[in-house]
Amino acid sequence: GEPIAFVTGERLNRLREELKQLGTREAMKNRHSVPDCAKRVAKKYLPAAGAPAVFSLMAAVFRELETSSKLRLVIVYVFHEMLVNQVAREERSALARDGASHFLESVKDSITQVPASKKEPFMKLLGTWGRSRLFSEGYLRRLRNEWAQQPPPGQQRQGQPAP
């Protein structure tokens, strides 16, 4: 057989491509693309590579400069769908912990950069996660405060005045 690191690296490369494909016009129109991707992540990539590697890769794709705000939201939806609908209830808390440290903590600065007009869907997910008790209320409150921040004036888009 192949060395495990090679197999894992190859699988993660496939996951990277699969996440980027979610940004295509066809995938955006297909309401099954997010649940189908979440199912493959849960059944194929998580067992092969482990949650830290999978969530770190999802965060890396999320943070890439060329990743659109729509695709960023879709990646967060894949994360959500996987936690809520694709793993057994008894696996959720461990997966949510890994997701918090390897995904949510890694993307929070990028979410801060999202224009205020496009942040609402991200904020709604925090409420959903609170109702489903995936994360502690204190953690969600901290994320809500961090995500709601506007980028520092030096990082404003060109043509936009600093507040």
Side-chain angles (χ1 to χ4, degrees), residues 14-48:
R14 269 187 254 145
L15 175 57
R16 172 184 293 279
E17 291 311 308
E18 196 166 327
L19 290 171
K20 288 179 176 245
Q21 285 299 310
L22 290 173
T24 63
R25 180 171 277 121
E26 303 81 54
M28 290 283 186
K29 287 182 180 174
N30 181 349
R31 62 189 182 91
H32 298 289
S33 55
V34 166
D36 289 350
C37 181
K39 182 181 288 185
R40 283 189 299 277
V41 169
K43 306 292 184 244
K44 179 175 158 187
Y45 297 110
L46 278 178

Side-chain angles (χ1 to χ4, degrees), residues 26-146:
E26 303 81 54
M28 290 283 186
K29 287 182 180 174
N30 181 349
R31 62 189 182 91
H32 298 289
S33 55
V34 166
D36 289 350
C37 181
K39 182 181 288 185
R40 283 189 299 277
V41 169
K43 306 292 184 244
K44 179 175 158 187
Y45 297 110
L46 278 178
V54 167
F55 289 141
S56 295
L57 179 97
M58 289 173 68
V61 173
F62 185 101
R63 290 191 316 262
E64 288 174 3
L65 290 176
E66 68 270 12
T67 300
S68 69
S69 57
K70 278 185 183 172
L71 179 54
R72 286 182 172 156
L73 183 59
V74 168
I75 291 170
V76 174
Y77 283 152
V78 168
F79 173 77
H80 167 79
E81 176 72 20
M82 193 175 54
L83 278 179
V84 174
N85 295 319
Q86 299 299 331
V87 298
R89 190 174 292 279
E90 58 273 9
E91 295 172 25
R92 272 190 207 145
S93 63
L95 204 57
R97 252 191 324 275
D98 284 338
S101 56
H102 297 283
F103 181 69
L104 295 175
E105 291 299 316
S106 296
V107 302
K108 66 183 178 192
D109 290 342
S110 297
I111 291 176
T112 300
Q113 302 298 318
V114 171
S117 61
K118 295 183 178 177
K119 280 189 188 180
E120 186 184 348
F122 292 100
M123 303 308 250
K124 279 186 175 175
L125 280 172
L126 295 175
T128 302
W129 295 337
R131 286 188 296 281
S132 58
R133 295 188 167 35
L134 283 170
F135 303 98
S136 74
E137 195 48 53
Y139 180 68
L140 292 172
R141 192 175 318 110
R142 182 170 66 80
L143 279 183
R144 191 172 292 112
N145 290 338
E146 290 170 354

